[in-house]
Amino acid sequence: MSIMKGKVVGATLLLAACGYLSPASADTLSCDDGIKTAFRPDADTKVVAVRLVKKGEELKAVDAPQPITAAADLCLVKLLVGPGATAEKDRNARSWSEGIGIEVWLPTQANWNERIRNYGGGGWVGGGHRYADKIGSKVPAIVNANIGYASGTTDAGQPWYQDGSFAFLSDGKVNVEALRDFSVRAMVEQAVKTKALVNLYYGKAPKYAYYDGHSQGGRQGLKLVQEYPELYDGYMIAQPALNIAKFGTAGLYPQIVMKTELGFTSADKPKATAFAAKVAAANKRAVAACDKAGLGFLLDPFACDYNPARDADMLCAGEAGEGVTGNNADGAACMSLKEANALNRIWYGATSDGSFDAAPSAEARSGKSLGKNQLWWTFTKSTGIANLITSASSYGVALALQDVSYAPDASTSSGEPITNASTNMRNKWLELDYAGLADAVNKGVALQPTLFSDLITDKADLAKLRDLGRKVIVYTGLVDDAIPPAGNINYHERVVAAMGGHAEVQKFMRMYLVPGSAHSSQGRAYTVGGKNDSVPLPKLPGNANQTPTREQDQFFTALIDWVEKGTAPGEILLTSRDNSLSYPVCVYPLRTNWNGNGDAKQASSYSCR
């Protein structure tokens, strides 16, 4: 890391020397190939293409099924920042890369609001950033530019969209250089190069610079919060993929439980699909047992102590459970005691020996402390986890064990299979037991500083950010179906412990827990009844919100007011898309609570406590 930090600092000093980091010139540039000549911040950076986008033009973003429409004239500048993954010699390998692709969307001089709002990536990132004829950015980045922000995005150092193949060199070894770029360097270059280009294009520096990221993009932003907080004035962090070395590797645990306790895995699609249907039925039963407000989802899933082994209506007719006898005659929806306890193991989270506690405290479930033998937290009750049942998530295991053969193939996973020339063997994860998976989790964590450039992103000391006066807003969904929310709560609790308590942390970072929110940068609700429009969600820029007002960009507006006006955010009122339900989301550690007797559809019946 020290070499990388030295390179970043050197690049920043060079940019400053060239005048790109200061408002030295009042001249502006035109959106044409003259930018290729004018913008030369360092020897490793080249302008790949400059494209004038006219208002009304249709744009195909990588995350949009339909083209979106440019709401204003924009200038798209595409950059490639070297040196790339020099250890890979095979240009045809997916681990070969010339560097980091960056796209910068620039409003016209008249439409620019004198601010940067850079946007993060997701998953394995990648995309068409480095290609003249493609668009690599996701919809929110383009929308941010539509409403006046200069907005930069990055492919995180590799061009293959949502394909983890880049993480292994063609000889099967871990691609340390690419993972360094993916972990941290790409975001530093994104910040530095976007700011330099903005200064040059508009002839003046921005008044404020913000980072906005979800999922992997949230992790990217928190890496800067922890290591390079000076790069932005404010950070909007949504459902961040923190602790990825833990939850990403432990995500295989449902498959190990199914193999050990039930005798099948995702390799047996009919049996896995049938079990997933039973898990979905158990989720409905959990909501029925714990939804005191009658909302169809849980305000606090951590408080739900539902146990299918003790539910006669969940157990198959005649099945002896724990103190009950089953009465469910629907063979497709009922569970045996073995199946019920397999689900209890999955709901408890990965352990080193398959043990579980069917009734941990709400505090333990919510990230305060790990239980006996527990490796990491898992998804909350009522969260849709069908994909973990029908698809093997073993990419983290392959990286932790430095062996691509542990990755899944298309027969056991719905994700993009790893392409690698060193071996055709896949699905070695099928050989793992409880102890073997625990070993992989522990090895992945131990290798973070050396092979993975601390992709785990869990540094709790935020003194530098605090002392610089930077601000951070974080939110996470309580039915996030990709990243267990308890892990993000645990990180916040660690920051609180390291930085002097909740009151001190709230001076620079505030977190919100959003009931009913699943994993999506566009705002997606999961409810067991399928009525997604009835779950209050934050308003976010994106597919259905292409020209948002302040009120239609809620969390980011709160961040702006905190940074620019000194108005610290408090509770934020969320309303469902069908306008049937409203309530506040609260500054952690406060939670959204129904008062128990008021109209559960009215915000006045809720409080933060």
Side-chain angles (χ1 to χ4, degrees), residues 116-410:
I116 289 172
R117 183 176 178 178
N118 280 352
Y119 194 72
W124 291 113
V125 199
H129 299 72
R130 64 190 64 201
Y131 302 117
D133 60 340
K134 295 181 180 179
I135 291 175
S137 299
K138 291 188 172 184
V139 173
I142 303 172
V143 171
N144 292 341
N146 277 341
I147 59 177
Y149 293 95
S151 182
T153 69
T154 172
D155 62 14
Q158 63 96 14
W160 301 96
Y161 184 62
Q162 299 305 326
D163 185 348
S165 300
F166 77 93
F168 290 94
L169 296 169
S170 58
D171 62 5
K173 294 179 181 178
V174 171
N175 190 350
V176 176
E177 291 173 311
L179 285 165
R180 172 207 62 195
D181 286 358
F182 186 85
S183 175
V184 61
R185 180 174 168 254
M187 290 78 73
V188 175
E189 292 291 356
Q190 174 190 15
V192 171
K193 296 300 164 37
T194 300
K195 191 173 292 186
L197 181 59
V198 162
N199 290 0
L200 184 65
Y201 187 72
Y202 298 108
K204 58 183 176 181
K207 290 181 178 178
Y208 297 96
Y210 296 95
Y211 181 90
D212 180 2
H214 172 269
S215 189
Q216 186 66 250
R219 185 210 63 81
Q220 291 173 332
L222 276 174
K223 174 61 78 171
L224 298 182
V225 164
Q226 295 167 17
E227 302 287 349
Y228 301 97
E230 68 276 9
L231 292 175
Y232 295 98
D233 299 294
Y235 294 83
M236 179 70 250
I237 307 295
Q239 299 181 299
L242 293 184
N243 302 294
I244 194 168
K246 295 179 180 178
F247 82 78
T249 309
L252 184 65
Y253 191 67
Q255 297 297 321
I256 305 300
V257 170
M258 289 155 53
K259 171 192 167 185
T260 307
E261 309 300 331
L262 304 178
F264 61 85
T265 68
S266 65
D268 189 331
K269 292 297 183 190
K271 289 184 178 179
T273 300
F275 183 55
K278 296 184 178 191
V279 171
N283 268 327
K284 289 184 180 181
R285 295 291 304 158
V287 171
C290 300
D291 176 21
K292 305 305 182 185
L295 301 175
F297 62 95
L298 302 181
L299 287 173
D300 183 5
F302 297 125
C304 185
D305 59 0
Y306 171 77
N307 181 349
R310 298 177 182 174
D311 180 3
D313 291 336
M314 187 67 234
L315 294 172
C316 297
E319 183 78 8
E322 296 180 10
V324 299
T325 300
N327 59 33
N328 190 334
D330 184 352
C334 71
M335 283 185 166
S336 67
L337 181 60
K338 271 191 173 183
E339 290 171 325
N341 279 328
L343 179 55
N344 278 329
R345 285 179 169 85
I346 292 169
W347 271 343
Y348 181 65
T351 64
S352 56
D353 59 2
S355 59
F356 69 98
D357 180 356
S361 68
E363 192 169 84
R365 290 191 193 102
S366 67
K368 294 289 183 67
S369 60
L370 287 167
K372 184 179 179 181
N373 296 326
Q374 193 176 17
L375 300 173
W376 200 244
W377 291 273
T378 187
F379 301 95
T380 59
K381 293 174 184 178
S382 80
T383 299
I385 56 171
N387 191 56
L388 291 178
I389 305 297
T390 61
S391 182
S393 178
S394 65
Y395 303 99
V397 171
L399 280 169
L401 298 178
Q402 303 175 65
D403 187 344
V404 71
S405 64
Y406 281 94
D409 65 10

Side-chain angles (χ1 to χ4, degrees), residues 349-555:
T351 64
S352 56
D353 59 2
S355 59
F356 69 98
D357 180 356
S361 68
E363 192 169 84
R365 290 191 193 102
S366 67
K368 294 289 183 67
S369 60
L370 287 167
K372 184 179 179 181
N373 296 326
Q374 193 176 17
L375 300 173
W376 200 244
W377 291 273
T378 187
F379 301 95
T380 59
K381 293 174 184 178
S382 80
T383 299
I385 56 171
N387 191 56
L388 291 178
I389 305 297
T390 61
S391 182
S393 178
S394 65
Y395 303 99
V397 171
L399 280 169
L401 298 178
Q402 303 175 65
D403 187 344
V404 71
S405 64
Y406 281 94
D409 65 10
S411 72
T412 61
S413 175
S414 60
E416 185 73 23
I418 296 288
T419 299
N420 191 269
S422 66
T423 177
N424 291 323
M425 180 182 287
R426 298 291 184 272
N427 294 329
K428 196 175 178 180
W429 64 266
L430 286 163
E431 300 174 9
L432 294 174
D433 56 12
Y434 290 124
L437 180 61
D439 178 62
V441 172
N442 293 332
K443 284 180 176 175
V445 172
L447 290 168
Q448 285 298 302
T450 53
L451 291 187
F452 303 119
S453 294
D454 281 320
L455 186 62
I456 197 167
T457 313
D458 63 350
K459 177 183 174 184
D461 182 355
L462 302 184
K464 185 177 180 182
L465 174 111
R466 177 199 62 200
D467 295 346
L468 287 170
R470 285 3 187 202
K471 307 300 182 187
V472 185
I473 290 179
V474 181
Y475 77 82
T476 195
L478 288 177
V479 286
D480 191 314
D481 48 351
I483 301 163
N488 290 339
I489 294 171
N490 177 260
Y491 172 70
H492 194 88
E493 289 284 350
R494 289 179 55 240
V495 172
V496 166
M499 301 300 297
H502 284 291
E504 290 301 311
V505 170
Q506 287 177 10
K507 292 176 181 178
F508 58 87
M509 181 164 75
R510 297 193 172 201
M511 181 173 73
Y512 295 82
L513 304 180
V514 184
S517 176
H519 194 78
S520 171
S521 61
Q522 299 300 297
R524 179 173 65 90
Y526 167 77
T527 68
V528 293
K531 298 179 180 178
N532 292 354
D533 285 345
S534 65
V535 179
L537 294 171
K539 292 182 174 65
L540 305 167
N543 290 335
N545 194 17
Q546 291 195 31
T547 53
T549 62
R550 280 175 49 87
E551 294 72 25
Q552 294 169 327
D553 197 2
Q554 285 172 285
F555 278 110

